[in-house]
Amino acid sequence: MATKIRLQRGGHKNYAFYRVVIADSRAPRDGRFVEKIGTYNPNTKPSTVDLDFERALYWVECGAQPTDTVRNILKNEGVYMMKHLKGGVAKGAFDEAACQQKFDAWKSGKDEKYAAMLSATEKSRKEAAAKELEQEKRANEAMAKKVAEKNAEAAAAEAEVEAEAEAAAEETAENVEEAPVEAPAAETEAPAEA
């Protein structure tokens, strides 16, 4: 039976979550599998991989062929590095302790790079958030300034209208005082009788 190391899709629409499985090469993507050796979540930044290292190494040594994506995952996790080092032990180039020491040195260097990348990502995210907040503050201040100017113009226009109304009221009051009071009109003449 030809075995493959492949991803089996899970999750829901627009949020894929994968299981890393050992399956027969003729089985469909989400079909039967022999063993689950890990998970892969591409939705997080950076992607999250949870892998049973020993079982993955066992299956790679047994000749299971990974898909392209799984091969990249296994390389990043160091499965192929360990397979390479174990090949050196089998050839007698170095012993098991030296193999483990080389792998640990490689893994610590990889972890340092990963931590540096995470800190740089977090730093850039914080800087972007601070910059966005500063832009929002400037926009709010500009908007508040425009609103204050508009309110001042409205208050000035209202005061002007009130002043005109008071002036008109005073003018009508003066006109009423100056105008002579007219007596009621005399009786109208009666029409002539014929």
Side-chain angles (χ1 to χ4, degrees), residues 59-91:
W59 282 104
V60 167
E61 288 176 341
C62 287
Q65 294 298 311
T67 60
D68 293 338
T69 305
V70 174
R71 181 178 291 112
N72 290 335
I73 291 170
L74 296 177
K75 282 182 182 178
N76 287 338
E77 293 297 312
V79 173
Y80 278 100
M81 180 69 169
M82 182 56 88
K83 180 184 176 194
H84 174 72
L85 292 173
K86 284 195 172 190
V89 170
K91 291 178 182 177

Side-chain angles (χ1 to χ4, degrees), residues 35 111 151:
E35 181 181 355
D111 290 343
N151 288 342

